[in-house]
Amino acid sequence: MLDDEPGRKRRRFWVHPIVAQRQQKGQFHKLFNDLRQDSNKFKSYCRMSIETFDHLLICLHPDLNFVDTSMRRSISAEQRLLVTLRFLATGNSFASLHFEFLLGISTISGIVCHTCKVIWQRLREAVMPTPTAADWLRIAAGFNQSAQFPNCIGALDGKHIRVKKPPHSGSRYFNYKQYFSVVLMALADSDYKFVIVDIGGYGSTSDSRILSASRMGERLRQNQLALPEPSRLPGSAGPPAPFVIVADEGFALSPHLMRPFPRRDLDDRKRIFNYRLTRARRYVECAFGILSSKWRVFQSSIQMKPDNVTLVIQACVMLHNFTRIHDASTDADLGLNMTSSVSLDLSRPGRPGTAGLAVREIFADYFSSPEGALSWQMDAIRGSR
């Protein structure tokens, strides 16, 4: 018998007496139906409305539904989804969730990893499809309306996700902020939704190197992102400008990626460009803020293996876009203050290419021209000095 093998711990219970009371005392069976009677409490608990939860459950149900066996009853798709959402929404340990839902710790671990994988696979094409030229034009129109930065197809940045140090990893995950992390590299639109993501870069690697090694960076260099043809900026008679991504000084300048002018020798024209670029770039930072505010698993170190951390990040990115689409959110609901004031961080000059310099000059000239200027931009740059 296996239980009689030397060194093997003998099981005391087939099902622990506490776990056996799941249907009488577990949160899903005791609390969930009551929560559905109060939309505000439900949204606070699940981080989405009742209608959005039901829609999500329909999308995931085929891969979360298991059959009962002669040994035990299966855990329902609804409970699997709820357990996963509570983990992502709170960042509580599996041991803590064990006492809340009265499920085994290893069972919860398996449920969370499997459900996160299903969320990524089932929602990816629906909420973050590969952009087409029409999608880029729609995104550019959004940035022009909300940030007054024409021909902008997205704001790019990287977010460090704190993790437990993986065994035998040396300093690969140790970042400049003095903790272990993996990097979520994301391109966001003006509605704070993620358009393209790259997940899993080492924390010690710079944003520019992560972008260069990513599929997004490779496709950008090889002009394979289906970007629209260059067009003149609104009201301008100057040369056509390419569609560009805005990023901070941690990225290299290129014809399709704009970064601020370096801090040295800044005149008003360069300051205006930096101000306008930073107004557009804030959208990806706000998207990261919304992501970590809603899914608080990101507010502490994730105690999982790197592959499972990737699954968690993928699921949260999908849920972020899914709730942005299906739940009407306001800035007040998110606790964020989206004003027109921005801080200018203009340090760390790089070595930009000639073509990128020429494109940046087109935008800098336009933002200082009567056609492209904003009435308040001179006051804004004077206040930043």
Side-chain angles (χ1 to χ4, degrees), residues 155-189:
L156 179 70
D157 203 0
K159 176 177 176 59
H160 286 272
I161 308 297
R162 190 186 295 263
V163 299
K164 178 180 70 174
K165 180 184 182 298
H168 316 297
S169 61
S171 61
R172 285 178 296 177
Y173 291 88
F174 196 68
N175 64 36
Y176 70 97
K177 298 180 180 180
Q178 307 298 303
Y179 61 82
F180 296 95
S181 67
V182 298
V183 177
L184 164 61
M185 182 71 61
L187 183 71
D189 65 15

Side-chain angles (χ1 to χ4, degrees), residues 73-368:
R73 296 179 61 182
S74 64
I75 299 168
S76 67
E78 198 171 27
Q79 186 171 3
R80 288 173 177 271
L81 179 57
L82 187 68
V83 169
T84 302
L85 292 179
R86 283 304 289 170
F87 170 72
L88 300 179
T90 63
N92 287 349
S93 67
F94 294 152
S96 176
L97 294 173
H98 157 69
F99 290 108
E100 294 174 17
F101 290 92
L102 302 185
L103 291 165
I105 294 175
S106 60
T107 302
I108 290 176
S109 174
I111 287 173
V112 168
C113 293
H114 176 256
T115 306
C116 286
K117 184 177 181 179
V118 171
I119 289 171
W120 171 259
Q121 293 174 341
R122 284 280 178 173
L123 298 186
R124 185 175 181 183
E125 289 302 318
V127 304
M128 199 177 68
T130 301
T132 63
D135 293 326
W136 293 127
L137 289 172
R138 175 184 51 79
I139 293 170
F143 273 102
N144 189 33
Q145 180 179 3
S146 59
Q148 293 77 51
F149 199 112
N151 288 26
C152 175
I153 58 169
L156 179 70
D157 203 0
K159 176 177 176 59
H160 286 272
I161 308 297
R162 190 186 295 263
V163 299
K164 178 180 70 174
K165 180 184 182 298
H168 316 297
S169 61
S171 61
R172 285 178 296 177
Y173 291 88
F174 196 68
N175 64 36
Y176 70 97
K177 298 180 180 180
Q178 307 298 303
Y179 61 82
F180 296 95
S181 67
V182 298
V183 177
L184 164 61
M185 182 71 61
L187 183 71
D189 65 15
S190 60
D191 191 35
Y192 313 110
K193 295 197 297 289
F194 297 117
V195 181
I196 302 175
V197 296
D198 181 82
I199 300 169
Y202 295 135
S204 62
T205 308
S206 67
D207 287 345
S208 184
R209 288 180 60 189
I210 292 175
L211 175 65
S212 179
S214 70
R215 186 165 178 262
M216 174 173 57
E218 181 181 356
R219 294 178 65 195
L220 185 64
R221 288 193 303 272
Q222 297 180 1
N223 198 24
Q224 295 179 347
L225 285 178
L227 300 182
E229 291 296 319
S231 64
R232 284 192 174 90
L233 301 176
S236 171
F243 286 80
V244 298
I245 293 168
V246 294
D248 63 19
E249 61 281 351
F251 295 88
L253 185 69
S254 74
H256 291 291
L257 197 152
M258 295 290 99
R259 55 168 278 173
F261 284 103
R263 182 178 299 227
R264 64 178 185 275
D265 302 325
L266 281 178
D267 54 22
D268 283 349
R269 173 177 163 277
K270 293 180 179 179
R271 288 181 179 275
I272 289 171
F273 172 85
N274 287 353
Y275 169 71
R276 298 289 289 273
L277 181 141
T278 307
R279 291 186 76 247
R281 184 176 59 81
R282 66 179 178 165
Y283 284 90
V284 67
E285 297 180 353
C286 291
F288 285 145
I290 295 168
L291 178 75
S292 60
S293 176
K294 184 182 287 285
W295 307 109
R296 297 185 180 180
V297 68
F298 296 128
Q299 296 190 5
S300 59
S301 178
I302 303 177
Q303 304 294 305
M304 302 173 78
K305 296 178 180 178
D307 288 346
N308 292 336
V309 170
T310 297
L311 291 177
V312 167
I313 299 171
Q314 288 175 336
C316 287
V317 167
M318 293 298 99
L319 292 171
H320 171 90
N321 280 11
F322 190 82
T323 54
R324 293 295 301 170
I325 293 170
H326 294 284
D327 280 342
S329 299
T330 64
D331 296 341
D333 292 335
L334 300 167
L336 298 174
N337 182 22
M338 310 297 186
T339 64
S340 61
S341 63
V342 293
S343 60
L344 302 180
D345 185 1
L346 311 173
S347 58
R348 299 207 307 268
R351 283 188 170 182
T354 303
L357 287 170
V359 173
R360 187 165 65 180
E361 292 298 320
I362 293 174
F363 281 95
D365 289 339
Y366 175 75
F367 291 146
S368 294

